[in-house]
Amino acid sequence: TFTAWCNSHLRKAGTQIENIEEDFRDGLKLMLLLEVISGERLAKPERGKMRVHKISNVNKALDFIASKGVKLVSIGAEEIVDGNVKMTLGMIWTIILRFAIQDISVEETSAKEGLLLWCQRKTAPYKNVNIQNFHISWKDGLGFCALIHRHRPELIDYGKLRKDDPLTNLNTAFDVAEKYLDIPKMLDAEDIVGTARPDEKAIMTYVSSFYHAFSGAQKAETAANRICKVLAVNQENEQLMEDYEKLASDLLEWIRRTIPWLENRAPENTMQAMQQKLEDFRDYRRLHKPPKVQEKCQLEINFNTLQTKLRLSNRPAFMPSEGKMVSDINNAWGGLEQAEKGYEEWLLNEIRRLERLDHLAEKFRQKASIHESWTDGKEAMLQQKDYETATLSEIKALLKKHEAFESDLAAHQDRVEQIAAIAQELNELDYYDSPSVNARCQKICDQWDNLGALTQKRREALERTEKLLETIDQLYLEYAKRAAPFNNWMEGAMEDLQDTFIVHTIEEIQGLITAHEQFKATLPDADKERLAILGIHNEVSKIVQTYHVNMAGTNPYTTITPHEINGKWEHVRQLVPRRDQALMEEHARQQQNERLRKQFGAQANVIGPWIQTKMEEIGRISIEMHGTLEDQLNHLRQYEKSIVNYKPKIDQLEGDHQLIQEALIFDNKHTNYTMEHIRVGWEQLLTTIARTINEVENQILTRDAKGISQEQMNEFRASFNHFDRDHSGTLGPEEFKACLISLGYDIGNDAQGEAEFARIMSIVDPNRLGVVTFQAFIDFMSRETADTDTADQVMASFKILAGDKNYITVDELRRELPPDQAEYCIARMAPYTGRDAVPGALDYMSFSTALYGESDL
């Protein structure tokens, strides 16, 4: 094998050897062999026949080998000159390793491992071939045949080879390699088949000849690997873009469907229906919206990660479809939250309105019923003609009775006005049953006007008759005059004691209790008045009995009897404790409401500042330099875990808030925090920690991709923080300029310096927002040293695969690239239209340029 290998190179110099240990003894052919395989000239050989001349030539050869970095252990010129077979073969193997194998490296492996990996890759598609070493893996000859067929398929019909015929396989490979590839037969097929373990050095030497014979194809493989890498980056980025577009479309569609529901202000007629709307809204805030908050946050994180990957791979920034920018999502989200706020305010106002309406409607019905009961029969009474046949005393009685009625009528004026005012308020508040209320109110008002007219007409008739009639019982008159107001007072008291009430605070119910206590304090005086009125009636009875006056036992001036006064007085006394009980129950309910307010306020006053504190701590972590970026990331993830663990407290507060709303509590003096404040703060906290973690992850990604050391990253952060005086996480233009100057950038105040600074700002602030983020800052600081692929590199790689042509064919792409990436290129490459074009030619140049510019790729 060694002899054949040496002769494959020596024949280029027009000579051969037959016996290694004999033909290399004088050193001349040894020096010639080294010149051929290295392409360099050695020192001039000694042509003498003496031993000293031979030793000198061999030493020159050994010195040349040593100059190439090869350590020659125990090999001396004397042993070679003396024909020591073992030493000579050892020297030749050292030469083969250095000049035929050492430079072979695949994916930064050692020479032997690189050659083995090359063989494995080239023979991987072939059945019955499994190259694991340089001895028994080659015994059946299929490995040699597969190497030849992979690069020159026309030389061997691999499909006809059999694994159980190794001699035929080996001889086929050796004959074809010698005839067509100029690789001499270095091995003997019978020796390989008949040996349990073929010689590893011989196999390696022979296989290395195949590697060098196919070196041109190796360049094509390297070019294919580069193209695959570039295409993989583009495919991954395209998938990320598609994912962003879908997530953005889904989120915008959800917002589009949700906002009309929140903007629907169609009121309901009943409290129960409005309470159901409020419950539906609470379900939306608790169950439906939180996942969408997470989707929105994830969308922004995906967008930032994609932009970072595009920058790192030297690709243009991603521009989402029309209407799907992050700013568009934020604008739509802002509209959603505005609609939420307006919807909740409308719900609560509607509930207040319906509560007020129910209360007013009940009050209207109660007052209307009392008034209608009072007016029953009054019109018929006013229309009587009894005065026409009455005696003088009866006329006097009728006149006084009418005066008492007028007094009673005037006393009822306030009630009629109250009924009309309540009806008007129900109309203004859009009460659903306003037509029936208006009809009843109109009937009462019309009847009242009619009573007024009838009263005036009867008075005029009685006054005309009064001139003829003079006598009247003054005691009955006095009784009637005092009994009517007292009776009206009792009716008013009963009405007030039975009046419904609605309050929202302890202070309001306390005011009602105080008013009730004041009313109870007037009862003794009222009782004295009652006894005085009854005394008048008793005095009349005494006079009638004393003077035998025929009064028929009735008072002609009033229908109010002592029995009626006593009955109403007893009813008032019974209503007082009932009113006490109702007020006390309401007082207890308001105390419970106050406890709910305090409970909610106590929790909100802890949770609100806690959220603010966490926001500030996250801000400090993101700008401080305690430890590595990994330390900061771990610290932030611990914060994120503690924040997520805090969620049960938010849920507990939501439960307390629901109890408050169910109790119809509309204000809380014990805290400045509303549930909406807490919700918004909590959502901002979750979004901020997720964004901050993503920013640190992107910094790590940038650091690793750009090769930035931790010390450099700390220096960049220290400089950035020094000029970020307001701790906003961004630098203004002047702060950024000062930061660059502190890092050694020469940016003067002259026109040249301003132009340079404007160029840098266009890189770090392409959207002209007037601020520079830390991510943009480190991207700029590291971009000049970035080891990224370029369009020219990709174009050169395709040119290698195309055999130095200006176009490439479908067959060449499918032969050199993995199937999915080959089809990716075929689908996107435009037809080549140059003069040297052939049918099916593809333009790899425009395709390479498009990978790095604005395109649909």
Side-chain angles (χ1 to χ4, degrees):
T1 300
F2 288 178
T3 300
W5 183 84
C6 292
N7 283 334
S8 68
H9 294 286
L10 286 173
R11 70 168 174 261
K12 298 176 184 178
T15 185
Q16 295 280 280
I17 63 171
E18 296 182 0
N19 188 295
I20 286 181
E21 63 269 26
E22 291 298 329
D23 292 344
F24 284 158
R25 289 177 65 179
D26 60 2
L28 293 175
K29 289 187 177 180
L30 180 59
M31 294 178 69
L32 183 60
L33 174 64
L34 291 172
E35 288 182 347
V36 171
I37 61 178
S38 69
E40 300 180 26
R41 295 290 296 176
L42 274 67
K44 186 177 181 181
E46 301 287 346
R47 296 295 180 180
K49 299 295 186 178
M50 298 179 64
R51 178 179 172 82
V52 66
H53 297 144
K54 297 177 181 179
I55 291 174
S56 175
N57 290 337
V58 174
N59 273 327
K60 291 177 181 179
L62 295 178
D63 290 342
F64 178 78
I65 295 172
S67 71
K68 298 302 181 181
V70 179
K71 293 183 178 180
L72 298 170
V73 182
S74 302
I75 299 179
E78 290 80 2
E79 287 85 351
I80 304 301
V81 173
D82 291 338
N84 187 315
V85 176
K86 182 178 180 181
M87 291 298 179
T88 303
L89 291 177
M91 178 189 66
I92 296 302
W93 174 242
T94 300
I95 293 172
I96 292 173
L97 280 177
R98 171 60 184 84
F99 293 100
I101 299 176
Q102 181 174 313
D103 292 335
I104 298 174
S105 177
V106 178
E107 294 187 358
E108 302 179 359
T109 59
S110 65
K112 180 179 178 181
E113 292 172 344
L115 184 59
L116 183 63
L117 180 59
W118 179 80
C119 294
Q120 290 171 339
R121 287 186 173 179
K122 293 301 181 181
T123 61
Y126 294 87
K127 65 180 181 178
N128 297 326
V129 178
N130 183 17
I131 305 300
Q132 298 295 328
N133 49 56
F134 285 110
H135 37 82
I136 61 175
S137 293
W138 303 86
K139 285 190 65 174
D140 58 11
L142 291 177
F144 295 113
C145 293
L147 284 179
I148 296 173
H149 185 269
R150 178 62 185 270
H151 297 90
R152 297 288 299 276
E154 76 279 4
L155 299 180
I156 291 180
D157 187 353
Y158 188 84
K160 293 183 178 181
L161 300 178
R162 302 199 319 271
K163 186 175 181 64
D164 59 358
D165 190 5
L167 281 176
T168 299
N169 298 338
L170 289 167
N171 285 323
T172 298
F174 297 162
D175 292 342
V176 170
E178 185 174 42
K179 182 176 181 181
Y180 296 103
L181 304 178
D182 199 26
I183 298 175
K185 287 187 178 181
M186 302 182 189
L187 303 173
D188 183 84
E190 287 75 8
D191 288 345
I192 293 176
V193 174
T195 304
R197 179 186 171 103
D199 184 79
E200 185 176 50
K201 295 179 179 178
I203 297 292
M204 283 182 64
T205 301
Y206 188 57
V207 171
S208 69
S209 298
F210 282 90
Y211 177 87
H212 291 294
F214 298 135
S215 60
Q218 183 65 22
K219 291 181 181 179
E221 181 178 357
T222 301
N225 288 338
R226 175 181 291 277
I227 292 171
C228 289
K229 178 181 177 183
V230 172
L231 296 179
V233 170
N234 270 62
Q235 289 171 317
E236 180 182 0
N237 290 342
E238 286 179 13
Q239 185 60 48
L240 289 175
M241 294 175 191
E242 291 176 5
D243 292 345
Y244 173 89
E245 291 281 334
K246 184 178 185 307
L247 188 56
S249 297
D250 293 345
L251 187 57
L252 286 171
E253 175 61 19
W254 178 81
I255 293 173
R256 184 191 65 77
R257 293 196 312 268
T258 304
I259 287 180
W261 174 66
L262 293 172
E263 290 178 343
N264 181 12
R265 300 294 191 271
E268 300 289 345
N269 291 332
T270 65
M271 177 72 78
Q272 183 179 3
M274 288 306 298
Q275 290 282 15
Q276 184 59 48
K277 279 184 177 287
L278 182 61
E279 184 62 29
D280 293 343
F281 179 74
R282 279 199 291 262
D283 287 343
Y284 158 79
R285 290 296 279 112
R286 288 196 307 262
L287 304 177
H288 303 301
K289 186 184 176 187
K292 298 302 178 182
V293 174
Q294 295 299 320
E295 288 181 15
K296 176 176 176 291
C297 178
Q298 190 61 46
L299 186 76
E300 295 177 2
I301 290 174
N302 290 352
F303 182 83
N304 293 334
T305 300
L306 173 60
Q307 298 294 38
T308 299
K309 287 186 176 182
L310 290 172
R311 286 195 302 271
L312 296 178
S313 58
N314 201 24
R315 286 353 184 242
F318 168 56
M319 289 296 293
S321 302
E322 181 70 20
K324 297 180 183 176
M325 295 285 291
V326 172
S327 59
D328 296 325
I329 303 296
N330 288 333
N331 290 338
W333 192 264
L336 175 72
E337 293 186 329
Q338 188 65 31
E340 281 180 10
K341 180 180 179 182
Y343 187 69
E344 187 172 33
E345 291 175 354
W346 173 77
L347 282 175
L348 296 177
N349 288 334
E350 275 299 299
I351 290 173
R352 285 196 188 102
R353 184 181 71 83
L354 288 175
E355 182 187 38
R356 174 68 175 164
L357 282 174
D358 289 344
H359 172 69
L360 287 174
E362 180 60 27
K363 195 169 185 177
F364 174 86
R365 286 189 289 270
Q366 190 176 81
K367 287 184 177 293
S369 296
I370 292 173
H371 177 77
E372 287 166 346
S373 176
W374 177 83
T375 60
D376 184 40
K378 294 295 190 294
E379 290 176 293
M381 182 269 291
L382 291 172
Q383 292 173 335
Q384 290 179 10
K385 303 294 185 177
D386 53 346
Y387 55 85
E388 293 180 350
T389 58
T391 63
L392 179 61
S393 61
E394 289 172 341
I395 291 298
K396 290 285 186 180
L398 289 176
L399 184 57
K400 298 304 180 183
K401 181 180 178 181
H402 189 71
E403 289 176 355
F405 172 77
E406 285 182 319
S407 177
D408 197 7
L409 186 68
H412 276 78
Q413 178 71 32
D414 288 341
R415 181 177 290 115
V416 174
E417 291 176 354
Q418 289 175 7
I419 291 171
I422 293 172
Q424 179 64 27
E425 188 170 359
L426 286 171
N427 277 281
E428 291 173 353
L429 293 177
D430 196 24
Y431 182 52
Y432 78 98
D433 199 23
S434 289
S436 65
V437 170
N438 292 336
R440 191 172 184 182
C441 180
Q442 186 63 45
K443 182 179 179 181
I444 289 173
C445 291
D446 292 345
Q447 186 185 43
W448 182 256
D449 292 338
N450 191 37
L451 284 175
L454 292 173
T455 299
Q456 180 64 25
K457 182 178 180 181
R458 183 173 178 82
R459 165 170 279 281
E460 292 173 356
L462 289 172
E463 286 177 348
R464 284 193 304 267
T465 308
E466 186 184 23
K467 295 177 181 180
L468 303 174
L469 305 175
E470 300 275 333
T471 306
I472 192 166
D473 189 340
Q474 293 299 323
L475 288 175
Y476 265 139
L477 181 60
E478 182 180 359
Y479 173 90
K481 286 183 178 180
R482 293 182 70 173
F486 184 70
N487 183 67
N488 189 63
W489 174 86
M490 286 192 297
E491 289 181 347
M494 287 187 291
E495 182 179 345
D496 291 341
L497 288 171
Q498 297 178 83
D499 191 18
T500 59
F501 55 84
I502 176 172
V503 295
H504 295 100
T505 66
I506 288 286
E507 291 77 8
E508 290 177 359
I509 189 62
Q510 191 62 52
L512 291 178
I513 292 173
T514 300
H516 184 59
E517 293 299 325
Q518 291 173 351
F519 166 78
K520 288 195 293 184
T522 66
L523 291 178
D525 290 338
D527 193 36
K528 291 178 181 180
E529 177 66 9
R530 180 181 69 86
L531 294 174
I533 293 171
L534 293 177
I536 294 172
H537 180 77
N538 291 335
E539 188 175 354
V540 170
S541 299
K542 289 178 182 180
I543 293 173
V544 169
Q545 293 174 0
T546 302
Y547 296 102
H548 306 288
V549 177
N550 185 18
M551 298 298 296
T554 62
N555 189 330
Y557 306 125
T558 180
T559 60
I560 302 172
T561 66
H563 177 73
E564 186 178 355
I565 290 176
N566 286 331
K568 290 183 178 180
W569 176 256
E570 185 61 29
H571 192 202
V572 169
R573 291 183 60 192
Q574 292 174 356
L575 288 176
V576 168
R578 295 180 191 173
R579 186 71 168 184
D580 286 336
Q581 179 66 24
L583 291 172
M584 289 302 101
E585 289 175 354
E586 181 61 27
H587 187 268
R589 190 176 77 86
Q590 289 303 322
Q591 285 181 323
Q592 172 62 17
N593 288 354
E594 186 67 9
R595 283 193 292 272
L596 289 176
R597 289 188 183 97
K598 290 180 178 178
Q599 182 175 324
F600 178 90
Q603 291 188 78
N605 289 338
V606 172
I607 293 175
W610 181 87
I611 291 175
Q612 182 60 34
T613 299
K614 289 300 177 184
M615 291 285 285
E616 294 171 356
E617 290 175 352
I618 292 169
R620 286 198 298 273
I621 293 173
S622 65
I623 65 173
E624 291 173 355
M625 297 181 298
H626 297 316
T628 64
L629 289 175
E630 285 76 9
D631 293 337
Q632 295 180 31
L633 185 59
N634 290 334
H635 199 179
L636 286 169
R637 283 176 174 160
Q638 292 174 2
Y639 262 85
E640 184 180 40
K641 184 177 180 181
S642 69
I643 289 169
V644 171
N645 290 338
Y646 203 78
K647 181 65 164 58
K649 295 185 182 297
I650 304 296
D651 294 338
Q652 181 180 354
L653 192 65
E654 281 281 9
D656 292 343
H657 181 249
Q658 181 174 347
L659 292 177
I660 282 178
Q661 287 195 329
E662 290 172 351
L664 301 178
I665 300 172
F666 302 110
D667 53 29
N668 193 343
K669 66 182 179 180
H670 301 292
T671 181
N672 291 325
Y673 293 99
T674 66
M675 193 64 233
E676 185 60 25
H677 290 154
I678 298 298
R679 289 171 184 154
V680 172
W682 175 252
E683 291 170 0
Q684 288 178 346
L685 179 61
L686 291 177
T687 301
T688 299
I689 186 65
R691 284 176 177 165
T692 306
I693 288 175
N694 179 247
E695 289 174 1
V696 176
E697 288 173 339
N698 284 342
Q699 291 176 23
I700 292 174
L701 185 63
T702 302
R703 180 198 66 190
D704 295 341
K706 301 293 187 177
I708 303 173
S709 67
Q710 187 63 47
E711 290 74 20
Q712 287 176 309
M713 186 65 75
N714 289 344
E715 181 183 0
F716 293 159
R717 173 54 82 181
S719 300
F720 189 94
N721 289 349
H722 177 75
F723 292 98
D724 182 17
R725 307 193 188 282
D726 59 354
H727 304 295
S728 64
T730 60
L731 299 180
E734 292 303 317
E735 293 173 331
F736 179 57
K737 178 186 285 188
C739 183
L740 290 177
I741 294 173
S742 72
L743 291 172
Y745 276 77
D746 184 14
I747 303 176
N749 292 325
D750 54 2
Q752 182 177 355
E754 291 298 326
E756 174 62 10
F757 182 68
R759 181 189 70 81
I760 295 174
M761 281 299 293
S762 68
I763 296 173
V764 299
D765 183 22
N767 295 324
R768 298 182 180 178
L769 300 177
V771 293
V772 180
T773 64
F774 182 69
Q775 184 64 42
F777 174 71
I778 60 174
D779 283 347
F780 171 77
M781 295 304 297
S782 59
R783 70 195 302 271
E784 300 298 330
T785 58
D787 183 17
T788 59
D789 54 83
T790 65
D792 290 340
Q793 290 174 330
V794 175
M795 202 179 301
S797 298
F798 272 119
K799 192 166 188 176
I800 292 174
L801 298 187
D804 209 33
K805 301 190 298 293
N806 291 327
Y807 59 85
I808 195 167
T809 66
V810 170
D811 291 339
E812 288 170 338
L813 286 171
R814 288 175 174 161
R815 185 179 70 235
E816 300 296 344
L817 298 179
D820 60 331
Q821 296 189 336
E823 299 307 320
Y824 179 85
C825 294
I826 293 169
R828 287 164 171 75
M829 280 188 182
Y832 177 71
T833 57
R835 293 181 178 178
D836 53 342
V838 299
L842 299 175
D843 187 352
Y844 62 79
M845 295 184 183
S846 63
F847 175 78
S848 301
T849 303
L851 288 176
Y852 295 85
E854 297 292 341
S855 72
D856 295 330
L857 294 177

